[in-house]
Amino acid sequence: MRGVVMYAPGDVRVDDRPEPAILEPTDAIIRLSATCICGSDLWPYRGAEPVDHQVMGHEYVGVVEEVGPQVRNIKVGDFVVGSFWASDNTCEICRAGYQAYCVHRVLMGTIGTQSERARVPLADGTLVATPGMPDPDLIPSLMAASDVLGTGWFAAVAAQAGPGKTVAVVGDGAVGLLGILAAKQLGAERIIAFSRHADRQALAKEFGATDIVEERGDHGVARVKDLTGGLGAHSVIEAVGTQEAMMQAIRSTRPGGHVGFVGVSHDVAIPGDELFMAGVHIHGGPAPVRQYLPELVQLIWDRKIDPGKVFDLVLPLDRAAEGYRAMDQRTATKVLLTV
Amino acid sequence: MRGVVMYAPGDVRVDDRPEPAILEPTDAIIRLSATCICGSDLWPYRGAEPVDHQVMGHEYVGVVEEVGPQVRNIKVGDFVVGSFWASDNTCEICRAGYQAYCVHRVLMGTIGTQSERARVPLADGTLVATPGMPDPDLIPSLMAASDVLGTGWFAAVAAQAGPGKTVAVVGDGAVGLLGILAAKQLGAERIIAFSRHADRQALAKEFGATDIVEERGDHGVARVKDLTGGLGAHSVIEAVGTQEAMMQAIRSTRPGGHVGFVGVSHDVAIPGDELFMAGVHIHGGPAPVRQYLPELVQLIWDRKIDPGKVFDLVLPLDRAAEGYRAMDQRTATKVLLTV
């Protein structure tokens, strides 16, 4: 089958890869309807993480073609969405809502879902079936649920976005934009988006942003303070993963407020003395998307949210290299690959 | 009046200092019954923070001698306990429970309560009166409420200690020990104390510790994992303020668990990538002791808790230098100064 392989930084190819097979009795094999390129795929693409002939992709939606003998709830023919961590959804950590840390977790990135078909471990715990076969126009939104929507949602929950709250969002990529959508759905009163790109500002507003701040760093922090009576936001989402973004998030948060961070942290170090004096809550990491999938799939199915709008470039799988280039050069926010 | 002044690191003297006076209409003047030396007073004593003829002390209990014309609730003759941050207890931040960040806060350490009398700003918002004049044996526990108990309590709340939870406590000083007491009061099922001192281990057990771990660092983390089915504690209190203690706390916490940190952080830097992968919540800083004071004073008054046991050396104010020396050399955990 065809699948994406990153040979080296900047060198992405669609190769002939081995067909997946059931390896464990809890596995399923899916034929992908769509997959996509993640912001985190750009780290190795740019040489910020080592890479050598690595299969790529951890986001996926598609139709179940085969299940192992111990799979009980997922059936051949189901249309399914899954998270980027396969999880049993029954261990103590999963039951506490932290499926990304399941004691039996498997990182889908090591399987590589930028491909025609894929093996999904722990199918019953990992996959969520839609109520029926989705209309084609729902595919991008279901695709978004697999990672960027679930991640933005987790960030908003971690930041305790909710009624009466002012939420600020650092990062206007797909995750940040969907953090805005999540904060709105969770009932936030006011949503401040940091963004200096007109198209992303427009989508931010469509998703629920009430204020746009173009300044960054401490100038951006000062603007948030201005907008919140000098106190800072109750809830701040950090969806970038750099030192500047993390400090901007912490400094934009009022004492007792909450920072939800989901940007993959590279070379970030949080100074303990500043964190001590800030008095904020910090929570983040790889999102337990599986926790939110049933709710998110239903919201999409009912057409109450349209997170698929973050995809601003659609390409066939064979043109994946073009998609990586577009995201790297920021001519696209998020690339959907049709299979 | 007599009061403690730190001339320089290691040089503590009891000097004649000016009598306090009402400066603002919301002030009160109290005559102290007792004061004490804080672990954080050791930072300048040891040269880890700059100090030059600094008045010392931010913990206090005593009797109100005078109130300003705008003080409504606190009366002359009241026996009062207050926090180390004076707060109005009415601003938006105070109402959210973060009185240590009150928009009008005043740090009592700048006033210096290791003295015979002291001015307390924002008296109505800062002070809590006991139901009557306390029996002398209650004074140490009420004194503890002013900082170390309130701080340990905040740490336990920040770590979300509660029923069904396993709580680990890093640091066996007064705050760590009272974090154990707080976790027990909050209903924790199992409390693991890191301690290698027999006397502190005994007090930890008296306060509610169920397990003692003598190992530190990653060896200590491994022991906590052993005791928790490999998962880590649900709740971890960090009451030291060093890099080793902070990392020990984060690594002892299961994914989705909570770290409450109250050790004053010096030269601590939390690596973003490790925090990202850990998936824990972190919250801490200067404790909003005022939030808990009414409840803590009542628990002490009703003799349901005895936090005063952390004081293992009692000296008259005039011998403060001896108290600093004892705490610096670890021959005392916590020193009460009678006035």
Side-chain angles (χ1 to χ4, degrees), chain B residues 205-272:
Chain B
K205 286 184 178 170
E206 193 176 334
F207 282 159
T210 54
D211 300 83
I212 302 288
V213 170
E214 298 206 345
E215 291 88 340
R216 282 189 196 164
D218 287 344
H219 293 290
V221 171
R223 290 278 296 125
V224 171
K225 293 279 176 76
D226 285 346
L227 292 168
T228 54
L231 301 179
H234 299 92
S235 304
V236 179
I237 291 172
E238 193 288 299
V240 180
T242 61
Q243 184 71 18
E244 183 187 35
M246 179 62 95
M247 297 318 297
Q248 185 174 330
I250 291 172
R251 292 170 185 162
S252 295
T253 309
R254 66 179 57 194
H258 292 75
V259 176
F261 75 101
V262 289
V264 180
S265 305
H266 283 76
D267 303 322
V268 171
I270 303 173

Side-chain angles (χ1 to χ4, degrees), chain A residues 183-246:
Chain A
K184 174 76 177 171
Q185 284 289 315
L186 292 165
E189 183 173 303
R190 189 173 191 180
I191 303 172
I192 302 167
F194 288 102
S195 175
R196 44 179 65 177
H197 302 92
D199 53 339
R200 299 184 185 200
Q201 291 176 2
L203 193 48
K205 285 184 179 169
E206 192 175 334
F207 282 160
T210 54
D211 301 83
I212 303 287
V213 170
E214 298 207 345
E215 292 88 342
R216 284 190 194 162
D218 287 344
H219 294 289
V221 171
R223 289 278 296 127
V224 171
K225 292 279 175 74
D226 285 346
L227 291 168
T228 54
L231 301 179
H234 299 92
S235 303
V236 180
I237 291 172
E238 192 288 300
V240 180
T242 62
Q243 184 72 19
E244 184 187 36
M246 179 62 96

Side-chain angles (χ1 to χ4, degrees), chain B residues 49-101:
Chain B
E49 281 178 4
V51 64
D52 179 16
H53 291 76
Q54 168 78 46
V55 296
M56 297 299 295
H58 52 260
E59 297 158 283
Y60 54 99
V61 295
V63 177
V64 177
E65 286 196 333
E66 190 181 351
V67 296
Q70 286 177 23
V71 175
R72 298 277 171 267
N73 303 320
I74 295 296
K75 293 174 194 63
V76 171
D78 280 351
F79 189 91
V80 291
V81 187
S83 163
F84 53 94
W85 281 105
S87 57
D88 63 23
N89 212 25
T90 56
C91 76
E92 190 172 334
I93 299 294
C94 281
R95 292 201 310 276
Y98 284 84
Q99 290 90 341
Y101 300 89

Side-chain angles (χ1 to χ4, degrees), chain B residues 247-314:
Chain B
M247 297 318 297
Q248 185 174 330
I250 291 172
R251 292 170 185 162
S252 295
T253 309
R254 66 179 57 194
H258 292 75
V259 176
F261 75 101
V262 289
V264 180
S265 305
H266 283 76
D267 303 322
V268 171
I270 303 173
D273 51 356
E274 181 164 349
L275 188 64
F276 185 86
M277 294 315 299
V280 302
H281 301 72
I282 297 197
H283 181 42
V289 173
R290 180 60 178 80
Q291 183 190 163
Y292 309 115
L293 270 183
E295 179 182 0
L296 300 181
V297 164
Q298 197 62 49
L299 284 169
I300 292 164
W301 194 262
D302 295 340
R303 297 181 183 273
K304 290 184 177 161
I305 57 174
D306 194 357
K309 284 186 175 163
V310 295
F311 292 105
D312 51 0
L313 180 61
V314 177

